C-alpha cells in the first residue's frame, strides 16, 4: 500500500500508511487471549477416550492414538493453553497426589522448604522470592496438614492470583536448577546464550512455553518423576512415552500435544 497524498486547505501532505500486518497480528492476539481466558486454568477430570475421540472425530491418526492412550489411561484433565500449562499441570497433578501420600509429602516438603535459601544463595533477590515462596509453602503446608480436600485444591488452582504464584515459584526453582548445574544443561540450549540469559528469557517469564529442558530441570530439582506421552502425527499407533529423570518411577503423567500439556490419569 503506497503513501496517500491528501490536499487540505490547498496544501499537500503525505500520510504514512497504516501497518495492516501489525493490526491483524494484534487482533489475532486478542482473539487468542479471549479464547484462552474462556477456558478454566485447570479443567475437570474427563473420560479420556470420549474427550479425545470427540476432539479428533475428523482426524484418523489422532483417533487411533487416542485409543492407544485409553488402554493405559482412564481420564484427562485439561489445562488452559496460556504458555504456563506444563508448570500448572505438574503442580496440580503432584499436589493432588500428595493429598493421599504422606510419606512422599515429607520428602517433598524437605526439598521445597529449603528452596528459597538455595535460590538466595544463587543470587536471586530475597524480596523477589518472598511472596511467591510464602504462597507456595502455604498451599504445601495445607496439603500436609490434612486441611485441603480435592475440591478445595481444584478451586484454589482456578483462582488466578494463587495459581499463578505457584507457577512463578516453580519457574524460579527450575531456573535455579538450570543455573546451578549450567555445565550440564548448556548441552540442551541452541546458540551462544549464557544459562543466566536463557533463564531470564525462556524460563522465569510467565506465559513462556516449556520444553524438555524445563521438565528435566524441575523433575530433578524436586526429585519427582514425570512421564510425558507425546501425541504427534507419526505413523506409529502408539503414543511414545519419555520419563524424566530417566529411570525414575513417574509420579506425574502428562500428555503433550504440540505446544500444550494436559494431565493424564492411569486406570
Amino acid at each position: 500500500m503506497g503513501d496517500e497524498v491528501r490536499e487540505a486547505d490547498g496544501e499537500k501532505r503525505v500520510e504514512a500508511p497504516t501497518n495492516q500486518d501489525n493490526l491483524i497480528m494484534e487482533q489475532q492476539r486478542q482473539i487468542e487471549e479471549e479464547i484462552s481466558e474462556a477456558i478454566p486454568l485447570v479443567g475437570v477430570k474427563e473420560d479420556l477416550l470420549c474427550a479425545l475421540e470427540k476432539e479428533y472425530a475428523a482426524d484418523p491418526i489422532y483417533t487411533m492414538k487416542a485409543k492407544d492412550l485409553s488402554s493405559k489411561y482412564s481420564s484427562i484433565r485439561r489445562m488452559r493453553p496460556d504458555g504456563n500449562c506444563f508448570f500448572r499441570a505438574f503442580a496440580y497433578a503432584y499436589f493432588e497426589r500428595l493429598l493421599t501420600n504422606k510419606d512422599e509429602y515429607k520428602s517433598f516438603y524437605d526439598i521445597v522448604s529449603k528452596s528459597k535459601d538455595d535460590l538466595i544463595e544463587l543470587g536471586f533477590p530475597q524480596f523477589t522470592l518472598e511472596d511467591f515462596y510464602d504462597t507456595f509453602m502455604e498451599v504445601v503446608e495445607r496439603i500436609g496438614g490434612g486441611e485441603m480436600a480435592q475440591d478445595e485444591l481444584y478451586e484454589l488452582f482456578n483462582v488466578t492470583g494463587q495459581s499463578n504464584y505457584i507457577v512463578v515459584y516453580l519457574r524460579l526453582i527450575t531456573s535455579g536448577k538450570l543455573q546451578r548445574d549450567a555445565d550440564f544443561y548448556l548441552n540442551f540450549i541452541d546458540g551462544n546464550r549464557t544459562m543466566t540469559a536463557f533463564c531470564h528469557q525462556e524460563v522465569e517469564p510467565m506465559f513462556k512455553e516449556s520444553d524438555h529442558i524445563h521438565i528435566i530441570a524441575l523433575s530433578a530439582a524436586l526429585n519427582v518423576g514425570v512421564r510425558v506421552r507425546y501425541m504427534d502425527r507419526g505413523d506409529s499407533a502408539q503414543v511414545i512415552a519419555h520419563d524424566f529423570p530417566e529411570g525414575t518411577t513417574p509420579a506425574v503423567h502428562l500428555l503433550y500435544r504440540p505446544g500444550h500439556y494436559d494431565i493424564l490419569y492411569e486406570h
Side-chain angles (χ1 to χ4, degrees):
M1 181 185 297
D3 290 353
E4 292 182 4
V5 180
R6 294 187 178 178
E7 294 186 8
D9 299 327
E11 294 183 1
K12 291 184 178 180
R13 63 185 175 85
V14 178
E15 185 175 279
T18 302
N19 190 326
Q20 291 295 328
D21 288 345
N22 284 349
L23 285 175
I24 292 168
M25 288 173 65
E26 177 62 19
Q27 288 173 346
Q28 181 65 29
R29 186 188 66 78
Q30 289 176 356
I31 291 168
E32 288 173 356
E33 280 186 5
E34 288 171 6
I35 293 171
S36 175
E37 289 171 3
I39 299 170
L41 291 168
V42 174
V44 298
K45 192 186 285 190
E46 303 174 66
D47 180 271
L48 182 140
L49 188 57
C50 290
L52 294 185
E53 282 192 329
K54 182 179 179 181
E55 185 174 345
Y56 297 118
D59 191 324
I61 293 176
Y62 272 17
T63 297
M64 172 180 67
K65 297 196 173 195
K67 288 177 180 174
D68 175 61
L69 267 181
S70 71
S71 68
K72 306 170 183 69
Y73 299 95
S74 60
S75 307
I76 185 171
R77 191 187 294 274
R78 301 175 195 262
M79 301 292 111
R80 177 182 291 179
D82 61 359
N84 298 313
C85 52
F86 162 68
F87 287 102
R88 206 178 318 271
F90 173 91
Y92 188 87
Y94 195 58
F95 284 5
E96 191 176 32
R97 177 184 174 91
L98 293 180
L99 288 172
T100 56
N101 195 321
K102 299 305 178 186
D103 291 338
E104 202 165 322
Y105 172 85
K106 184 179 183 308
S107 61
F108 178 74
Y109 182 86
D110 288 344
I111 291 170
V112 295
S113 62
K114 301 169 187 170
S115 59
K116 182 179 73 174
D117 291 339
D118 292 341
L119 290 171
I120 292 170
E121 190 178 315
L122 281 168
F124 286 77
Q126 182 169 345
F127 70 87
T128 302
L129 297 172
E130 205 76 56
D131 286 348
F132 300 117
Y133 173 79
D134 289 347
T135 298
F136 187 87
M137 290 306 301
E138 180 183 342
V139 176
V140 170
E141 287 166 2
R142 285 181 62 195
I143 290 170
E147 300 173 22
M148 187 173 291
Q150 175 75 51
D151 58 344
E152 291 174 294
L153 185 69
Y154 179 79
E155 289 174 11
L156 183 149
F157 264 79
N158 277 295
V159 175
T160 302
Q162 288 180 295
S163 194
N164 284 351
Y165 267 46
I166 291 167
V167 168
V168 169
Y169 196 67
L170 289 178
R171 285 183 176 276
L172 295 173
I173 288 175
T174 304
S175 176
K177 180 63 174 176
L178 290 169
Q179 293 182 63
R180 185 178 296 109
D181 298 330
D183 289 346
F184 170 72
Y185 288 107
L186 279 170
N187 297 312
F188 298 91
I189 297 176
D190 295 328
N192 297 317
R193 282 185 286 185
T194 65
M195 181 55 74
T196 302
F198 175 81
C199 288
H200 289 342
Q201 295 162 8
E202 305 294 340
V203 181
E204 295 167 16
M206 288 289 280
F207 313 113
K208 279 284 188 176
E209 292 185 2
S210 302
D211 207 340
H212 280 69
I213 190 170
H214 302 72
I215 306 173
I216 296 167
L218 183 62
S219 59
L222 298 179
N223 194 29
V224 175
V226 180
R227 174 168 291 169
V228 181
R229 294 276 177 181
Y230 289 84
M231 196 167 177
D232 57 24
R233 305 203 68 79
D235 293 335
S236 172
Q238 292 188 319
V239 181
I240 298 168
H242 288 293
D243 291 344
F244 305 94
E246 288 185 18
T248 57
T249 301
V252 170
H253 294 255
L254 303 177
L255 174 62
Y256 176 80
R257 288 170 285 176
H260 187 65
Y261 296 86
D262 290 313
I263 302 171
L264 293 172
Y265 295 87
E266 293 183 293
H267 287 291

